[in-house]
Every structure is written in structure tokens, then in C-alpha cells.
């Protein structure tokens, strides 16, 4: 029988994978995909808990998270394009003009 | 079914979000108007956005003393939110006033700049008035997404690109943590309403040591500590503040930071009051770390903009001291300090905007050599802002720090207050060094490029009036701040 714990575990693993990817990857778009993975693991947590608690709040929250993630993707990809136009790369190791 | 709809409709109270509705209407109208204005005409956009802020300010201030609750208690426009909203509106107005000539000088006279500032302000207002995780999260994202664009606003400038991209990647990363924290707390308590979470946790003490609760609180706090740029989540701050357009840096360090403080304070006080001894202990350590890192690294900076970025980290540390104190004086001191910081920091940046050349040049200490002699009035205004940032009486900075440390002493955190005062002493070094360059160095240039438009003067005058008003008669505003806390 699949219980809420299984969903929570899967979500936690996905979240950890996303975090690991953000910290180790070099390409800004791959980093952004890892962030999306983190957000979606949160969505999975919300839905599993919502079902478990018999409470709709979690599912409504997921709609908000998805909407915000879409808006964030639009802005983020635009920022990456303008960075690429000037530097011809979106490698985060080349984000190095500003440091102390 | 009909009953349900009726109950839902009764719970909607548009007055609770009236100020932000007005502001967003102005912002969206402005976006539309911009499409019909000739390219490069930004003056009308500036005036419309200022009018929008003024109308919103009227709507906010007239709500003082009569709290409005709406949307099944997801939004509360109480005195707390009103006080913070006034802070955001002042920050936005001062930023807009100093921006117009700046974006023209830098070659980006694009009208969308102003609506984006208004959207950021609206997001900040939702954060301050949100009493549900959903509204707070939405406000945070509206604010952050507009700020990502503003930080990277100078499309052709590589440093602005970098600032925008860096802010975006790290901001979205921290949002992930924040959301996971909210999800776990929702799982423990079955609610996203702040007051319900607090009541539930208080009624079930066994849940307080549950790992899921603790992990949730930790992840949630990471999200907010990132936004207020507390150490060790401050790494993005100097880079983003240095690369972003100067007025946006000023705005980011005042408005959105205050918004994050507002939401953080409300969540900690409403939801986790049962765990107060635990989270104040953690924040104690973070406040000390934040003050020390901000002040010590600021010493070695030669770029004034970056120096002010590190000093803004240190100031977040001072405000955290008020949260550690967690008493009436401490909390109201945070409100007071955020208002005072808005005046002094944006004032300092306004003068930095004038002193800079095209392409964000000349923001180093060397570049300010002899500035105080060649431009005496601007020099004096800059000096006053820096004195206030140091915390010298009779300025707003002194009154703010006095209340914050008084709160800490009253709560029994004598050592924390001592560390805070010592940090203030360290900060004298790097603020005074700017003055040394301004007054004790030979001027290498005549600063003939410095043009002083009326709008920037208005912004600086607002800053100076605020600094002296809050510094000489702090009691008046402090009484309001006392009425504003829960």
C-alpha cells in the first residue's frame, strides 16, 4: 500500500537532487531546471499532504506555485538571453565580473 | 451550495487590499500609456507613478487605526502593515525621484522602469499585510520577480546582466527552500493560515520537537534570511547591489528588505511563538555573525557602492537584534529602524547617483576625492547621511540603534547589545574614510559633469528631513511604531 510517507520520501529525494544540481552544475539553464525540480518536489509534497489531511489548501497552493514558476521562467530566461548576447555563454563560471 | 458562496463572498473585504489595488491599477495603466508615448519620454511616466504613490499613500494612511481583515483572514491591513506600507511608499517615491536623469544618462530611458518599481512596492505591501502563507508567498514573488528585472535592467551592460542573473538564480533557489518549509509546516498543522498554525502548535506541544516541524521552520527561515541578506545567506548581496543600477540598489536595500522583515516578524510571532526561546537563540548567533561579517568586510572595500552593500548587511544585523529581543521595544524598534534606514540609505545613494559618471563609473573612494570642496552642499548632505548610518546623534540612525539596543538590554541580552555597539564603532572607520576622501584629499577633477536636477534634490531633501525629524523627535514616530506591533 502506497502511503503519504512514500510520496514524501520521493519528494524529499527529488528536492535533494535539485539542490545538488544547483550547487554542482555550471550551465545556468541546467541550474534553472534543477530549481524547477525543487519547486515540483514541493508541489508533490503539497498534494500528497493535501490528500492525506483531506484539506484543499495544499492543492490551491500548488496552483499558485505553478503560476509563479511560469512567471519566474519567463523572467529568468529573458535574463539569460540578455546575458548570452553580451557574453556568448551562460556558463555560471563566467559570471565573474563582480567579486570582492 | 448557495450558502457556501454567500459565506465566501462575505469574507471578501476589498478594503483590506485597497491600497495595493490602487497601486497595481496605476502600474498597469502606466504600462499601457508607455506603449503610446514616444521612445525616450520618461518624464510623464515618472509623474504618473508619483501620483500613483501619493494616492496609495493617502489610502494607506487613512486606514491607520481601523484594521481591515479580508479574504477569510488571509489579508490583514492592520497598523503593522500600514506602518510598513508607508515605509515602502517613501522608499519607492525617493527612488523614482532620483531615477529619471539617471536612466537617461545611462542610456536606458525606458518607461517600463517605473511600473516595475510600483509592482515591487505592491508585492512588498502584500508581504507586510499577508496573514496566510499563500498571500505572503505571492507578495514575495511579485516583489522578487520585478526586482530580478530591475536588477538586470541595463540590458547592454554586462555587470547589470550579471547582477540580474545572479539575483534570479539565487532568489529562485531560496524560494524553493521557503516553499518546502511552508509545505512541511502545512503537513504538520494542516493549515496555511498563520494564526491557525500558531494555535495548533500551541495546543499540541508534542509537535514542537517533531523533526518535520523543526525542518519546516528552518527551511522557511532560510528563505527569509536570504531575502533580508543575513549571514550566512548574504553572498549574493554585494554582487547584486554593485551590479544593479544605483537607484535600484538603494531601493532594494530599503523597501524589499523591510518587507522581508515584516513577513518574517509576523510569521515568527504568529506561528512559532511557542518556540520563542529556540528561535531567538538561533537568531542571536545569526545577528552577531551578520553584524560582524557586514562591518568587517566593508572595511576593505574601495568601491563606495559595494561598501554600502556590505553596510546594508550590517544594518540587517542590527535589525535582527530587535527580533532577538522579541519584546515591545525590540519589535517597534525594527519598524522604526527600517523607516530610518530608508531615509539615510536612499539619501546616501541619491548623492552617489549624482557623483557618478555615465556607465556607473567613478563610484570608488578615489573618485570622490575633494568632492566636499567642489560641491559643498552635496558634500554636507552626504556627510549627514553617513553620520546617520554610523549612528551619531542627533540623526535617525542614532535613535534607531538606541531603541534596538535598549530592547536587547531590557530583554536581558546585555552581551548582544555590547557586540552591537562595538560593531557600530567598527563601522565608523569605513564611513569616516569616505569623508576623509571627500574633505582631506586634493580634488583631481572639478566635477563639472555633476548635474543636479530638481527631482533628485527633492529626494535628498526628503532624506534629510526624515533623518533629522526621526533623530530629534524620535518619540512621535516611536509611539506610532508601538501602536503598530501586535
Amino acid at each position: 500500500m502506497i502511503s503519504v510517507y512514500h510520496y514524501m520520501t520521493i519528494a524529499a529525494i527529488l528536492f535533494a537532487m535539485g539542490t545538488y544540481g544547483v550547487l554542482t552544475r555550471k550551465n545556468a539553464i541546467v541550474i534553472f531546471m534543477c530549481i524547477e525540480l525543487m519547486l515540483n518536489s514541493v508541489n508533490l509534497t503539497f498534494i500528497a499532504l493535501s490528500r492525506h489531511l483531506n484539506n484543499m489548501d495544499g492543492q490551491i497552493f500548488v496552483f499558485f506555485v505553478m503560476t509563479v514558476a511560469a512567471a519566474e521562467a519567463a523572467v529568468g530566461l529573458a535574463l539569460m538571453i540578455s546575458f548570452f548576447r553580451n557574453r556568448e555563454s551562460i556558463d555560471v563560471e563566467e559570471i565573474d565580473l563582480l567579486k570582492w | 451550495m448557495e450558502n457556501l458562496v454567500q459565506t465566501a463572498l462575505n469574507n471578501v473585504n476589498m478594503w483590506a487590499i485597497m491600497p495595493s489595488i490602487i497601486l497595481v491599477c496605476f502600474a498597469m495603466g502606466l504600462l499601457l500609456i508607455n506603449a503610446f508615448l514616444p521612445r525616450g519620454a520618461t518624464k510623464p511616466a515618472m509623474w504618473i507613478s508619483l501620483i500613483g504613490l501619493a494616492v496609495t499613500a493617502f489610502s494607506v494612511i487613512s486606514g491607520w487605526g481601523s484594521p481591515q481583515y479580508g479574504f477569510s483572514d488571509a489579508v490583514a491591513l492592520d497598523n503593522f502593515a500600514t506602518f510598513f506600507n508607508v515605509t515602502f511608499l517613501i522608499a519607492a517615491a525617493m527612488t523614482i525621484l532620483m531615477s529619471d536623469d539617471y536612466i537617461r544618462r545611462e542610456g536606458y530611458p525606458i518607461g517600463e522602469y517605473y511600473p516595475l518599481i510600483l509592482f515591487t512596492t505592491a508585492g512588498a505591501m502584500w508581504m507586510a499585510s499577508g496573514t496566510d502563507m499563500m498571500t505572503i508567498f505571492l507578495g514575495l514573488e511579485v516583489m522578487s520577480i520585478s526586482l530580478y528585472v530591475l536588477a538586470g535592467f541595463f540590458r547592454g551592460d554586462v555587470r547589470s546582466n550579471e547582477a540580474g542573473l545572479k539575483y534570479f538564480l539565487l532568489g529562485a533557489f531560496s524560494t524553493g527552500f521557503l516553499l518546502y518549509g511552508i509545505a512541511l509546516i502545512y503537513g504538520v498543522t494542516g493549515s496555511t493560515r498563520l494564526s491557525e498554525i500558531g494555535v495548533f502548535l500551541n495546543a499540541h506541544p508534542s509537535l514542537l520537537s517533531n523533526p518535520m516541524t523543526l525542518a519546516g521552520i528552518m527551511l522557511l527561515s532560510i528563505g527569509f534570511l536570504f531575502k533580508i541578506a543575513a549571514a550566512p545567506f548574504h553572498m549574493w548581496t554585494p554582487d547584486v547591489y554593485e551590479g544593479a543600477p544605483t537607484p535600484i540598489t538603494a531601493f532594494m536595500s530599503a523597501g524589499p528588505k523591510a518587507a522581508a522583515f515584516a513577513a518574517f516578524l509576523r510569521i515568527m510571532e504568529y506561528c512559532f511563538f511557542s518556540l520563542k526561546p529556540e528561535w531567538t537563540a538561533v537568531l542571536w548567533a545569526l545577528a552577531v555573525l551578520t553584524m560582524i561579517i557586514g562591518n568587517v568586510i566593508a572595511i576593505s572595500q574601495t568601491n563606495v557602492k559595494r561598501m554600502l552593500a556590505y553596510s546594508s548587511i550590517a544594518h540587517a544585523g542590527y535589525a535582527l537584534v530587535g527580533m532577538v529581543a522579541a519584546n515591545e521595544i525590540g519589535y517597534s524598534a525594527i519598524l522604526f529602524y527600517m523607516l530610518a534606514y530608508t531615509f539615510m540609505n536612499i539619501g546616501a545613494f541619491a548623492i552617489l547617483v549624482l557623483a557618478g559618471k555615465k556607465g556607473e563609473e567613478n563610484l570608488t573612494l578615489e573618485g570622490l576625492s575633494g568632492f566636499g570642496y567642489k560641491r559643498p552642499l552635496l558634500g554636507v548632505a552626504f556627510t549627514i547621511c553617513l553620520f546617520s548610518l554610523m549612528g551619531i546623534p542627533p540623526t535617525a540612525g542614532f535613535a534607531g540603534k538606541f531603541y534596538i539596543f535598549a530592547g536587547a538590554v531590557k530583554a536581558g541580552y546585555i552581551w548582544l547589545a555590547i557586540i552591537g555597539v562595538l560593531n557600530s564603532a567598527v563601522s565608523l572607520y569605513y564611513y569616516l574614510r569616505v569623508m576623509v576622501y571627500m574633505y582631506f584629499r586634493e580634488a583631481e577633477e572639478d566635477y563639472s559633469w555633476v548635474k543636479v536636477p530638481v527631482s533628485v534634490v527633492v529626494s535628498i531633501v526628503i532624506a534629510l528631513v526624515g533623518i533629522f525629524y526621526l533623530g530629534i523627535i524620535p518619540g512621535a514616530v516611536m509611539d506610532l511604531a508601538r501602536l503598530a506591533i501586535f
Side-chain angles (χ1 to χ4, degrees):
Chain A
M1 181 64 197
I2 295 174
S3 69
V4 65
Y5 299 106
H6 296 95
Y7 285 106
M8 294 280 289
T9 313
I10 287 282
I13 292 169
L14 284 176
F15 189 85
M17 278 165 63
T19 313
Y20 177 77
V22 171
L23 296 176
T24 53
R25 289 312 182 108
K26 306 259 181 291
N27 185 311
I29 288 182
V30 178
I31 291 181
F32 183 57
M33 281 159 60
C34 292
I35 292 172
E36 291 289 310
L37 187 63
M38 289 166 71
L39 293 183
N40 281 321
S41 80
V42 171
N43 286 348
L44 186 60
T45 313
F46 265 122
I47 291 190
L49 288 170
S50 177
R51 171 93 175 139
H52 175 68
L53 297 165
N54 270 328
N55 175 321
M56 288 300 285
D57 287 4
Q59 300 196 21
I60 295 164
F61 212 120
V62 169
F63 281 112
F64 282 113
V65 175
M66 289 197 299
T67 319
V68 163
E72 223 167 37
V75 166
L77 293 175
L79 283 169
M80 283 176 208
I81 287 171
S82 73
F83 185 78
F84 184 78
R85 279 200 182 136
N86 289 318
R87 301 290 293 271
E88 293 184 355
S89 156
I90 46 165
D91 195 328
V92 288
E93 303 233 306
E94 293 188 23
I95 307 187
D96 56 0
L97 281 179
L98 303 165
K99 58 169 81 152
W100 60 298
Chain B
M1 188 63 203
E2 207 141 277
N3 262 347
L4 251 165
V5 172
Q6 200 56 45
T7 332
L9 282 178
N10 286 342
N11 278 329
V12 172
N13 176 5
M14 283 296 173
W15 289 109
I17 54 166
M18 196 42 92
S20 32
I21 289 183
I22 296 172
L23 195 59
V24 169
C25 285
F26 266 94
M28 292 201 281
L30 199 51
L31 276 178
L32 206 62
I33 292 168
N34 269 324
F36 296 100
L37 288 175
R39 219 182 135 66
T42 54
K43 275 272 190 282
M46 180 184 99
W47 286 113
I48 295 171
S49 53
L50 283 175
I51 293 168
L53 287 174
V55 176
T56 315
F58 175 76
S59 158
V60 165
I61 292 169
S62 61
W64 176 266
S66 54
Q68 297 283 345
Y69 303 93
F71 299 91
S72 314
D73 276 339
V75 179
L77 194 64
D78 46 11
N79 285 351
F80 179 78
T82 305
F83 194 101
F84 270 108
N85 286 349
V86 171
T87 309
F88 308 146
L89 291 170
I90 291 173
M94 287 173 73
T95 310
I96 286 172
L97 280 169
M98 74 161 106
S99 291
D100 200 61
D101 285 85
Y102 176 80
I103 54 175
R104 213 181 294 279
R105 181 182 85 200
E106 301 292 331
Y108 293 88
I110 303 168
E112 279 74 14
Y113 183 85
Y114 298 108
L116 281 169
I117 292 184
L118 298 191
F119 282 130
T120 313
T121 314
M125 287 164 74
W126 287 323
M127 277 181 85
S129 55
T131 49
D132 188 300
M133 293 292 187
M134 266 183 235
T135 36
I136 290 177
F137 167 67
L138 269 185
L140 181 93
E141 284 304 309
V142 169
M143 183 182 89
S144 304
I145 290 176
S146 318
L147 272 183
Y148 301 149
V149 182
L150 283 172
F153 195 75
F154 292 169
R155 283 181 312 215
D157 177 21
V158 192
R159 286 187 303 174
S160 181
N161 288 161
E162 269 196 32
L165 191 56
K166 216 173 238 185
Y167 192 26
F168 165 73
L169 286 176
L170 292 172
F173 189 44
S174 81
T175 304
F177 285 99
L178 176 79
L179 277 174
Y180 202 39
I182 295 175
L184 292 183
I185 289 165
Y186 167 71
V188 173
T189 61
S191 175
T192 55
R193 200 87 74 237
L194 300 191
S195 48
E196 283 176 20
I197 294 174
V199 169
F200 190 90
L201 284 179
N202 200 32
H204 299 80
S206 64
L207 286 177
L208 291 178
S209 54
N210 186 315
M212 193 157 143
T213 322
L214 296 179
I217 298 174
M218 193 187 76
L219 290 165
L220 187 76
S221 308
I222 288 176
F224 280 110
L225 289 168
F226 175 88
K227 290 286 172 207
I228 60 180
F233 311 106
H234 67 284
M235 295 301 184
W236 59 279
T237 320
D239 294 351
V240 174
Y241 281 19
E242 189 189 340
T246 312
I248 296 308
T249 309
F251 184 53
M252 256 197 280
S253 62
K257 185 176 280 192
F261 261 109
F264 194 34
L265 201 57
R266 211 195 270 272
I267 287 181
M268 283 317 204
E269 189 57 36
Y270 276 33
C271 301
F272 308 125
F273 56 87
S274 333
L275 278 167
K276 210 176 233 176
E278 284 78 9
W279 59 254
T280 48
V282 174
L283 287 184
W284 191 98
L286 290 181
V288 170
L289 194 66
T290 309
M291 287 190 288
I292 291 176
I293 286 185
N295 280 318
V296 169
I297 305 185
I299 288 176
S300 62
Q301 301 304 321
T302 52
N303 182 322
V304 179
K305 203 172 162 188
R306 202 171 172 87
M307 185 272 278
L308 284 174
Y310 276 107
S311 101
S312 106
I313 297 175
H315 284 276
Y318 300 136
L320 275 178
V321 170
M323 243 179 116
V324 175
N327 52 15
E328 195 201 350
I329 300 184
Y331 283 165
S332 43
I334 294 180
L335 272 62
F336 183 93
Y337 201 77
M338 281 294 139
L339 185 61
Y341 186 65
T342 301
F343 286 122
M344 55 202 190
N345 203 42
I346 299 189
F349 272 111
I351 294 151
L352 215 52
V353 163
L354 292 181
K357 286 179 187 165
K358 180 176 169 18
E360 297 268 304
E361 293 296 319
N362 204 45
L363 293 174
T364 54
L365 284 170
E366 294 287 339
L368 286 173
S369 304
F371 185 69
Y373 283 117
K374 296 286 176 187
R375 291 285 171 157
L377 280 177
L378 288 178
V380 168
F382 201 20
T383 308
I384 293 170
C385 290
L386 291 176
F387 269 130
S388 183
L389 286 166
M390 281 181 222
I392 306 279
T395 55
F398 171 74
K401 274 186 191 149
F402 176 79
Y403 285 129
I404 291 233
F405 295 138
V409 169
K410 194 154 180 238
Y413 295 104
I414 312 280
W415 274 106
L416 187 60
I418 291 174
I419 295 170
V421 172
L422 286 178
N423 266 293
S424 271
V426 171
S427 75
L428 288 184
Y429 174 77
Y430 57 81
Y431 289 128
L432 279 175
R433 201 167 52 155
V434 178
M435 281 175 228
V436 168
Y437 273 88
M438 270 193 336
Y439 287 107
F440 298 106
R441 290 284 174 108
E442 284 298 311
E444 285 153 15
E445 316 207 41
D446 55 356
Y447 295 98
S448 53
W449 72 84
V450 177
K451 291 196 188 64
V452 187
V454 183
S455 57
V456 186
V457 173
V458 174
S459 182
I460 295 172
V461 168
I462 294 174
L464 296 183
V465 169
I467 287 172
F468 283 120
Y469 180 73
L470 292 180
I472 294 170
I473 13 179
V477 177
M478 192 61 186
D479 286 341
L480 293 178
R482 281 225 176 84
L483 290 176
I485 55 167
F486 329 106

